Amino acid sequence: MSLSDTPGAVPDPGLVGTRQSAALTEPTARVRSLWITGVVLVNLGINAAFFGPIQVLLAQQAEHFDPGQKEAILALVTGAGAAVSLVANPLFGAFSDRTASRFGRRAPWVLAGAVLGAAALVGLAGAPNVAAMTLLWCLVQAGCNGAYAAITAAVPDRVPVPQRATVGGLAAMGQTAGILVGAVIAAVVSGNFMLGYIVCAAALVAGVVMYLVKSDDDPLPARAARPMNWGRFLVGFIRPLGHPDFAWAWITRLLVNIGNHMVTLYLIFFLADAVHLKETTGLEPAFGVLVLTGLYAVFVIITSVVGGRLSDRMGKRKPLVIASSVIIALASLILAFAPTWAGGIVGASVLGIGFGAYLAVDFALITQVLPNAADRGKDLGVINIANSLPQVIAPALAWPFVTLWGGYVSLYVAAAVIGLLGAVFVVKIKGVD
């Protein structure tokens, strides 16, 4: 079966053949470069706003409040924010599914999410204590996840299946560039986390401009906009998991992301406390994070674009998802058994090679197992729980490994094992090659 023969999410049977079906049916026309660029920039802005704080700024702020409890504070703040994202992503996705605006279903939520996220980042710059820091980071997560839910759903709305891994790879390139931009911001501000938050807010707002100008969303007529039923919404978290392919896709993404977050969560502390980067090389750990993130980003950009195009040409998804998951696990093992600056460089490069291909191809696979076109935003929000939930699970797992169960060696071995389970379970998906 070729990708052109593979069905994506089916349209709502009650809407097919009516005027409103244009916003809900499977797209067939290839999207153009200007639209793709807008999607890439939104992903770049969102990820700069996420990962500048997650990789460096939140850790620096945690150390500012209490150096002796920096790990616990960072786990609290990131865990609380991730818990918010578990609800925000599918909730805003469901809202966008039902939005009957002349600007389309997705663009209004990209704008609203960016404004909320940017405002909360500016607030973080002046947070007076850990409680305020936690609340404001939760608002950043709510806003950015709202924008991310909308821009993610825009891809299956507009992109035909045979082009989807290519666009997914380019979106992954934007995500990775955003991670790098976030690390650059953190390094350039040289420990001034307050200025770093403000610059991240500016990057978030700037990233959405092109998409908002050229979103080309198909509007949903008012009569087709379903009212929000909270009971059905809550059930909707579970119902998609009744579709076996969707459920296995969700589980595999959850496991791979848990492993990946366990690797990256304490990276700045790993460089400081295990590699002893300052003592052995003279480099500051924050600069070390920038270097490793840069290497990671270069390889993610290369393999996300190449892997996405290769998958579209092969007409297959699962072999590349499995191979990339194995490579990600290998990167964890390199860090576990080579806790040196050279080992960090090799590990970051291998992680980038694996994760780039994974992001592109797994996203395309997921869009092909969505149960219903009318609920793309909500169902992709449920999938995105598998991106957000690891931010809750990974700190809970990582902290005892680092402090009680053998340190960074045991942490990274556990991350490799969890990621490999994700590769194994991909074979359970039957509807996609």
Side-chain angles (χ1 to χ4, degrees):
M1 177 181 290
S2 70
L3 289 181
S4 59
D5 299 323
T6 305
V10 298
D12 189 317
L15 298 176
V16 174
T18 66
R19 288 179 58 194
Q20 59 262 39
S21 63
L24 301 174
T25 54
E26 194 69 20
T28 57
R30 293 175 68 87
V31 291
R32 296 186 178 184
S33 58
L34 187 62
W35 186 88
I36 297 172
T37 301
V39 171
V40 170
L41 290 176
V42 173
N43 279 280
L44 188 156
I46 290 172
N47 281 274
F50 268 143
F51 286 97
I54 286 174
Q55 289 187 329
V56 176
L57 302 179
L58 289 172
Q60 291 176 339
Q61 193 168 21
E63 190 168 19
H64 167 76
F65 285 128
D66 189 342
Q69 296 294 321
K70 60 185 180 182
E71 294 92 346
I73 293 172
L74 182 60
L76 168 66
V77 173
T78 56
V84 169
S85 73
L86 296 181
V87 178
N89 210 297
L91 179 62
F92 285 112
F95 285 155
S96 70
D97 286 335
R98 292 160 171 78
T99 297
S101 162
R102 67 186 182 91
F103 300 106
R105 292 186 294 167
R106 313 305 180 189
W109 294 100
V110 171
L111 175 61
V115 169
L116 174 59
L121 282 166
V122 172
L124 262 173
N129 50 47
V130 173
M133 177 184 173
T134 304
L135 174 61
L136 287 162
W137 180 244
C138 287
L139 291 176
V140 172
Q141 285 276 9
C144 288
N145 272 279
Y148 185 69
I151 200 64
T152 303
V155 175
D157 282 352
R158 294 291 316 283
V159 182
V161 169
Q163 193 186 9
R164 209 164 281 174
T166 298
V167 174
L170 292 169
M173 179 186 72
Q175 293 169 12
T176 306
I179 295 171
L180 180 58
V181 168
V184 169
I185 290 170
V188 168
V189 300
S190 301
N192 185 346
F193 60 82
M194 292 183 287
L195 177 59
Y197 285 133
I198 293 171
V199 178
C200 284
L204 175 59
V205 172
V208 305
V209 173
M210 179 176 286
Y211 177 77
L212 294 176
V213 170
K214 195 63 177 177
S215 67
D216 292 335
D217 286 348
D218 285 316
L220 186 69
R223 67 173 179 271
R226 297 161 295 157
M228 190 68 175
N229 183 307
W230 291 103
R232 290 181 181 176
F233 172 73
L234 294 175
V235 172
F237 276 90
I238 302 171
R239 184 182 292 121
L241 298 178
H243 297 261
D245 282 354
F246 184 96
W248 285 116
W250 190 91
I251 290 169
T252 58
R253 174 160 283 212
L254 176 74
L255 291 171
V256 171
N257 276 296
I258 289 173
N260 190 59
H261 279 290
M262 288 175 68
V263 170
T264 60
L265 177 66
Y266 288 147
L267 184 57
I268 190 170
F269 300 147
F270 170 72
L271 293 177
D273 301 333
V275 176
H276 303 292
L277 188 64
K278 178 69 173 179
E279 294 82 357
T280 57
T281 69
L283 299 175
E284 293 292 339
F287 182 76
V289 171
L290 173 61
V291 172
L292 296 186
T293 303
L295 286 171
Y296 165 88
V298 168
F299 285 105
V300 167
I301 288 170
I302 293 171
T303 59
S304 62
V305 175
V306 172
R309 289 179 177 173
L310 178 62
S311 177
D312 281 341
R313 290 179 180 178
M314 291 172 55
K316 295 182 181 294
R317 310 297 192 202
K318 289 196 294 186
L320 290 174
V321 171
I322 292 169
S324 59
S325 300
V326 172
I327 293 171
I328 292 169
L330 175 62
S332 300
L333 294 177
I334 291 171
L335 293 176
F337 296 109
T340 63
W341 181 229
I345 290 173
V346 175
S349 301
V350 173
L351 184 64
I353 292 170
F355 206 62
Y358 177 84
L359 286 172
V361 183
D362 188 64
F363 175 76
L365 184 153
I366 284 167
T367 65
Q368 291 174 237
V369 299
L370 297 177
N372 193 310
D375 291 315
R376 285 181 184 132
K378 184 267 294 176
D379 290 340
L380 282 169
V382 173
I383 284 288
N384 282 329
I385 291 175
N387 298 332
S388 302
L389 189 58
Q391 297 178 46
V392 178
I393 297 173
L397 292 176
W399 182 77
F401 272 110
V402 171
T403 59
L404 302 173
W405 300 339
Y408 288 101
V409 173
S410 61
L411 172 68
Y412 291 143
V413 169
V417 171
I418 292 170
L420 285 174
L421 287 175
V424 170
F425 291 142
V426 170
V427 301
K428 296 286 189 177
I429 298 172
K430 304 301 183 183
V432 180
D433 292 334

